[in-house]
Short mmCIF file of all heavy atoms in Angstrom, two decimals:
data_model
loop_
_atom_site.label_atom_id
_atom_site.label_comp_id
_atom_site.label_asym_id
_atom_site.label_seq_id
_atom_site.Cartn_x
_atom_site.Cartn_y
_atom_site.Cartn_z
N SER A 1 -32.21 13.45 34.22
CA SER A 1 -31.38 14.58 34.73
C SER A 1 -30.09 14.68 33.94
O SER A 1 -29.29 15.57 34.20
CB SER A 1 -31.12 14.33 36.20
OG SER A 1 -30.30 13.13 36.37
N ALA A 2 -29.84 13.75 32.97
CA ALA A 2 -28.63 13.87 32.18
C ALA A 2 -28.78 14.95 31.16
O ALA A 2 -29.84 15.48 30.86
CB ALA A 2 -28.34 12.53 31.47
N PHE A 3 -27.62 15.41 30.55
CA PHE A 3 -27.64 16.37 29.54
C PHE A 3 -27.27 15.88 28.18
O PHE A 3 -27.58 16.49 27.12
CB PHE A 3 -26.72 17.58 29.92
CG PHE A 3 -25.32 17.16 30.26
CD1 PHE A 3 -24.40 16.86 29.27
CD2 PHE A 3 -24.96 16.97 31.55
CE1 PHE A 3 -23.13 16.47 29.53
CE2 PHE A 3 -23.66 16.58 31.93
CZ PHE A 3 -22.70 16.34 30.88
N GLN A 4 -26.69 14.69 28.12
CA GLN A 4 -26.22 14.19 26.79
C GLN A 4 -27.39 13.67 26.03
O GLN A 4 -28.37 13.25 26.50
CB GLN A 4 -25.25 13.03 26.99
CG GLN A 4 -23.84 13.43 27.31
CD GLN A 4 -23.05 13.90 26.07
OE1 GLN A 4 -23.64 14.08 25.00
NE2 GLN A 4 -21.78 14.10 26.18
N ARG A 5 -27.24 13.79 24.65
CA ARG A 5 -28.25 13.23 23.80
C ARG A 5 -28.13 11.70 23.75
O ARG A 5 -27.15 11.13 24.11
CB ARG A 5 -28.08 13.79 22.36
CG ARG A 5 -28.28 15.27 22.26
CD ARG A 5 -27.56 15.86 21.09
NE ARG A 5 -26.10 15.83 21.26
CZ ARG A 5 -25.22 16.34 20.38
NH1 ARG A 5 -25.68 16.84 19.31
NH2 ARG A 5 -23.94 16.32 20.63
N ALA A 6 -29.18 11.07 23.19
CA ALA A 6 -29.10 9.65 22.95
C ALA A 6 -28.02 9.32 22.06
O ALA A 6 -27.77 10.02 21.10
CB ALA A 6 -30.42 9.06 22.54
N VAL A 7 -27.30 8.17 22.32
CA VAL A 7 -26.20 7.79 21.46
C VAL A 7 -26.68 7.22 20.16
O VAL A 7 -27.60 6.35 20.15
CB VAL A 7 -25.27 6.79 22.20
CG1 VAL A 7 -24.16 6.34 21.30
CG2 VAL A 7 -24.73 7.39 23.47
N SER A 8 -26.14 7.59 19.06
CA SER A 8 -26.50 7.17 17.75
C SER A 8 -25.66 6.03 17.30
O SER A 8 -24.44 6.10 17.17
CB SER A 8 -26.42 8.31 16.76
OG SER A 8 -26.47 7.80 15.40
N LYS A 9 -26.33 4.89 17.02
CA LYS A 9 -25.59 3.67 16.55
C LYS A 9 -24.87 3.96 15.17
O LYS A 9 -23.70 3.59 15.04
CB LYS A 9 -26.55 2.51 16.40
CG LYS A 9 -25.95 1.21 15.84
CD LYS A 9 -26.99 0.14 15.84
CE LYS A 9 -26.43 -1.14 15.25
NZ LYS A 9 -26.13 -1.07 13.87
N ARG A 10 -25.55 4.64 14.33
CA ARG A 10 -24.97 4.94 13.03
C ARG A 10 -23.77 5.82 13.14
O ARG A 10 -22.73 5.58 12.50
CB ARG A 10 -26.02 5.67 12.19
CG ARG A 10 -25.54 6.09 10.76
CD ARG A 10 -26.61 6.87 10.04
NE ARG A 10 -27.01 8.05 10.79
CZ ARG A 10 -26.29 9.19 10.80
NH1 ARG A 10 -25.16 9.28 10.09
NH2 ARG A 10 -26.77 10.19 11.47
N LYS A 11 -23.78 6.81 14.09
CA LYS A 11 -22.67 7.71 14.25
C LYS A 11 -21.48 6.97 14.85
O LYS A 11 -20.27 7.17 14.46
CB LYS A 11 -23.06 8.92 15.09
CG LYS A 11 -22.06 10.03 15.14
CD LYS A 11 -22.58 11.27 15.84
CE LYS A 11 -21.56 12.34 15.82
NZ LYS A 11 -22.10 13.62 16.48
N VAL A 12 -21.73 6.10 15.86
CA VAL A 12 -20.66 5.36 16.46
C VAL A 12 -19.95 4.47 15.41
O VAL A 12 -18.74 4.35 15.38
CB VAL A 12 -21.22 4.45 17.64
CG1 VAL A 12 -20.15 3.46 18.13
CG2 VAL A 12 -21.65 5.37 18.76
N GLU A 13 -20.73 3.81 14.56
CA GLU A 13 -20.16 2.91 13.61
C GLU A 13 -19.35 3.71 12.55
O GLU A 13 -18.29 3.27 12.06
CB GLU A 13 -21.27 2.10 12.89
CG GLU A 13 -21.89 1.05 13.78
CD GLU A 13 -23.03 0.33 13.15
OE1 GLU A 13 -23.66 0.90 12.21
OE2 GLU A 13 -23.31 -0.80 13.56
N ALA A 14 -19.84 4.91 12.14
CA ALA A 14 -19.13 5.75 11.25
C ALA A 14 -17.77 6.19 11.76
O ALA A 14 -16.75 6.18 11.05
CB ALA A 14 -19.90 6.93 10.82
N ILE A 15 -17.75 6.61 13.06
CA ILE A 15 -16.46 7.01 13.63
C ILE A 15 -15.50 5.88 13.81
O ILE A 15 -14.28 6.02 13.55
CB ILE A 15 -16.75 7.68 15.02
CG1 ILE A 15 -17.62 8.94 14.82
CG2 ILE A 15 -15.44 8.09 15.72
CD1 ILE A 15 -18.03 9.62 16.14
N LYS A 16 -16.04 4.73 14.19
CA LYS A 16 -15.21 3.47 14.32
C LYS A 16 -14.53 3.20 12.92
O LYS A 16 -13.39 2.86 12.85
CB LYS A 16 -16.03 2.33 14.80
CG LYS A 16 -15.26 0.99 14.84
CD LYS A 16 -16.11 -0.12 15.39
CE LYS A 16 -15.37 -1.45 15.38
NZ LYS A 16 -15.26 -1.95 13.95
N ASN A 17 -15.36 3.34 11.88
CA ASN A 17 -14.79 3.08 10.60
C ASN A 17 -13.70 4.08 10.22
O ASN A 17 -12.69 3.74 9.61
CB ASN A 17 -15.91 3.15 9.52
CG ASN A 17 -15.41 2.89 8.11
OD1 ASN A 17 -14.94 1.80 7.78
ND2 ASN A 17 -15.51 3.93 7.28
N PHE A 18 -13.83 5.34 10.65
CA PHE A 18 -12.82 6.33 10.42
C PHE A 18 -11.54 5.94 11.13
O PHE A 18 -10.46 6.08 10.62
CB PHE A 18 -13.31 7.69 10.86
CG PHE A 18 -12.25 8.77 10.85
CD1 PHE A 18 -11.76 9.23 9.62
CD2 PHE A 18 -11.77 9.23 12.04
CE1 PHE A 18 -10.78 10.20 9.65
CE2 PHE A 18 -10.77 10.21 12.05
CZ PHE A 18 -10.25 10.71 10.86
N TYR A 19 -11.66 5.54 12.41
CA TYR A 19 -10.48 5.10 13.16
C TYR A 19 -9.71 4.01 12.39
O TYR A 19 -8.48 4.00 12.41
CB TYR A 19 -10.87 4.55 14.52
CG TYR A 19 -11.41 5.63 15.49
CD1 TYR A 19 -12.12 5.22 16.66
CD2 TYR A 19 -11.23 6.95 15.34
CE1 TYR A 19 -12.62 6.14 17.53
CE2 TYR A 19 -11.66 7.91 16.20
CZ TYR A 19 -12.43 7.53 17.29
OH TYR A 19 -12.89 8.42 18.21
N GLU A 20 -10.44 3.12 11.77
CA GLU A 20 -9.81 1.98 11.09
C GLU A 20 -9.13 2.43 9.82
O GLU A 20 -8.10 1.79 9.43
CB GLU A 20 -10.85 0.94 10.76
CG GLU A 20 -11.37 0.22 12.03
CD GLU A 20 -12.59 -0.72 11.70
OE1 GLU A 20 -13.26 -0.48 10.73
OE2 GLU A 20 -12.74 -1.67 12.53
N THR A 21 -9.61 3.53 9.17
CA THR A 21 -9.01 3.91 7.93
C THR A 21 -8.07 5.06 8.07
O THR A 21 -7.34 5.39 7.08
CB THR A 21 -10.17 4.38 6.91
OG1 THR A 21 -10.94 5.38 7.59
CG2 THR A 21 -11.08 3.14 6.63
N ALA A 22 -8.03 5.72 9.23
CA ALA A 22 -7.09 6.85 9.38
C ALA A 22 -5.69 6.33 9.63
O ALA A 22 -5.40 5.70 10.62
CB ALA A 22 -7.56 7.71 10.60
N ILE A 23 -4.88 6.59 8.65
CA ILE A 23 -3.43 6.13 8.74
C ILE A 23 -2.49 7.28 8.95
O ILE A 23 -1.86 7.38 10.00
CB ILE A 23 -3.04 5.38 7.44
CG1 ILE A 23 -3.98 4.22 7.17
CG2 ILE A 23 -1.58 4.88 7.55
CD1 ILE A 23 -4.05 3.16 8.25
N SER A 24 -2.44 8.18 8.02
CA SER A 24 -1.59 9.37 8.16
C SER A 24 -2.18 10.48 9.06
O SER A 24 -1.47 11.26 9.68
CB SER A 24 -1.21 9.94 6.83
OG SER A 24 -2.36 10.37 6.10
N GLN A 25 -3.57 10.48 9.10
CA GLN A 25 -4.23 11.47 9.95
C GLN A 25 -4.42 10.91 11.36
O GLN A 25 -4.65 9.76 11.52
CB GLN A 25 -5.58 11.78 9.34
CG GLN A 25 -5.60 12.51 8.00
CD GLN A 25 -6.97 12.80 7.51
OE1 GLN A 25 -7.87 12.07 7.81
NE2 GLN A 25 -7.11 13.83 6.72
N PRO A 26 -4.40 11.84 12.36
CA PRO A 26 -4.70 11.38 13.71
C PRO A 26 -6.16 11.01 13.84
O PRO A 26 -7.03 11.79 13.39
CB PRO A 26 -4.33 12.58 14.55
CG PRO A 26 -4.42 13.77 13.67
CD PRO A 26 -4.04 13.29 12.30
N PRO A 27 -6.49 9.89 14.45
CA PRO A 27 -7.89 9.48 14.55
C PRO A 27 -8.73 10.45 15.43
O PRO A 27 -9.90 10.63 15.20
CB PRO A 27 -7.87 8.09 15.16
CG PRO A 27 -6.46 7.65 15.13
CD PRO A 27 -5.58 8.85 14.96
N ILE A 28 -8.12 10.97 16.54
CA ILE A 28 -8.84 11.82 17.41
C ILE A 28 -8.10 13.14 17.60
O ILE A 28 -7.39 13.30 18.63
CB ILE A 28 -9.14 11.12 18.78
CG1 ILE A 28 -9.59 9.72 18.60
CG2 ILE A 28 -10.10 11.97 19.66
CD1 ILE A 28 -9.79 8.92 19.86
N PRO A 29 -8.18 14.04 16.64
CA PRO A 29 -7.38 15.25 16.80
C PRO A 29 -7.96 16.29 17.68
O PRO A 29 -7.28 17.16 18.21
CB PRO A 29 -7.41 15.83 15.32
CG PRO A 29 -8.66 15.26 14.76
CD PRO A 29 -8.89 13.95 15.37
N GLY A 30 -9.29 16.21 17.92
CA GLY A 30 -9.96 17.20 18.80
C GLY A 30 -10.05 16.69 20.24
O GLY A 30 -10.05 15.49 20.50
N THR A 31 -10.12 17.60 21.18
CA THR A 31 -10.21 17.28 22.59
C THR A 31 -11.58 16.73 22.98
O THR A 31 -12.59 17.16 22.51
CB THR A 31 -9.80 18.45 23.48
OG1 THR A 31 -10.65 19.54 23.16
CG2 THR A 31 -8.41 18.87 23.32
N VAL A 32 -11.53 15.80 23.87
CA VAL A 32 -12.76 15.28 24.52
C VAL A 32 -12.86 16.04 25.91
O VAL A 32 -11.86 16.20 26.63
CB VAL A 32 -12.60 13.78 24.79
CG1 VAL A 32 -13.75 13.30 25.70
CG2 VAL A 32 -12.62 13.02 23.47
N LEU A 33 -14.08 16.51 26.22
CA LEU A 33 -14.30 17.29 27.41
C LEU A 33 -14.85 16.35 28.52
O LEU A 33 -15.94 15.73 28.28
CB LEU A 33 -15.20 18.44 27.17
CG LEU A 33 -14.50 19.79 26.67
CD1 LEU A 33 -13.78 19.58 25.41
CD2 LEU A 33 -15.52 20.86 26.52
#
């Protein structure tokens, strides 16, 4: 009954890596709904 897609391990790891390397840029500039 859920609507979300299955969570992708590869995508989670890629975003985590971005958080670690984002220095001058905001890590989460877009809104979470």
